Every structure is written in structure tokens, then in C-alpha cells.
């Protein structure tokens, strides 16, 4: 599976429950208020610069769409939706 053009194929990391600095526990559903999500780049299109396969990124939660490939769910987003490369 290979991304084309300015597209990225990503795998979103499951966050589970996390603890805030104040000691509150937040479930994954409660994190829907956060605008950005963390993901791993599976494939980057040939027109994408600065983002490579296996990079960890943060992207806009509402960007792109889902795709199923070999019983796994991936997301396809545009490179412009990436805000941070870790």
C-alpha cells in the first residue's frame, strides 16, 4: 500500500486512559475535545516533504477518511493536515 501525491497513510495510536497534571483520569472518549491526534506514518506520497515513513505525527482530528486494508483500519490525510512531526 503506497500513498500517492500529497497524501499520507497513517495508523492512529490508541491512547487509552491518561492522567492529567491535576490527577484526573481521562478516557479516550473524553479526549474528543482535543483538536489533534497522534499517529504513525505508514506511507507518504512522492510530493510530501519533511514527513517520512515511521514518523510520529500530530494531525487535525477531523482530517481525512478511513480505509480498510487487509483487515486493518488506516486513515488517509493530506500532508497539510499535519501540525507536528515528532
Amino acid at each position: 500500500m503506497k500513498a500517492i501525491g500529497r497524501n499520507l497513510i497513517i495508523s492512529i495510536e490508541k491512547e487509552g486512559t491518561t492522567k492529567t497534571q491535576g490527577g484526573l483520569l481521562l478516557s479516550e472518549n473524553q479526549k474528543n475535545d482535543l483538536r489533534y491526534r497522534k499517529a504513525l506514518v505508514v506511507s507518504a506520497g512522492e510530493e510530501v516533504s519533511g514527513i517520512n515513513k515511521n514518523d510520529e505525527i500530530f494531525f487535525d482530528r477531523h482530517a481525512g477518511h478511513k480505509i480498510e486494508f487487509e483487515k486493518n483500519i488506516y486513515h488517509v490525510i493530506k500532508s497539510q493536515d499535519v501540525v507536528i512531526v515528532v
Side-chain angles (χ1 to χ4, degrees), residues 1-16:
M1 178 169 57
K2 180 172 171 45
I4 297 173
R6 295 184 182 135
N7 294 310
L8 297 168
I9 300 171
I10 60 173
S11 175
I12 296 178
E13 294 183 6
K14 295 288 183 186
E15 297 174 0

Side-chain angles (χ1 to χ4, degrees), residues 21-66:
Q21 288 181 338
L24 297 173
L25 296 175
L26 296 176
S27 70
E28 190 170 346
N29 290 340
Q30 293 170 320
K31 293 181 190 178
N32 288 335
D33 292 338
L34 300 176
R35 180 159 182 177
Y36 301 106
R37 293 189 71 185
K38 188 176 183 180
L40 181 69
V41 176
V42 176
S43 176
E46 64 275 355
E47 295 178 26
V48 176
S49 62
I51 304 171
N52 300 308
K53 183 178 179 177
N54 295 325
D55 280 349
E56 284 187 344
I57 61 168
F58 283 87
F59 71 99
D60 191 330
R61 153 180 314 282
H62 303 290
H65 57 275
K66 295 179 185 178

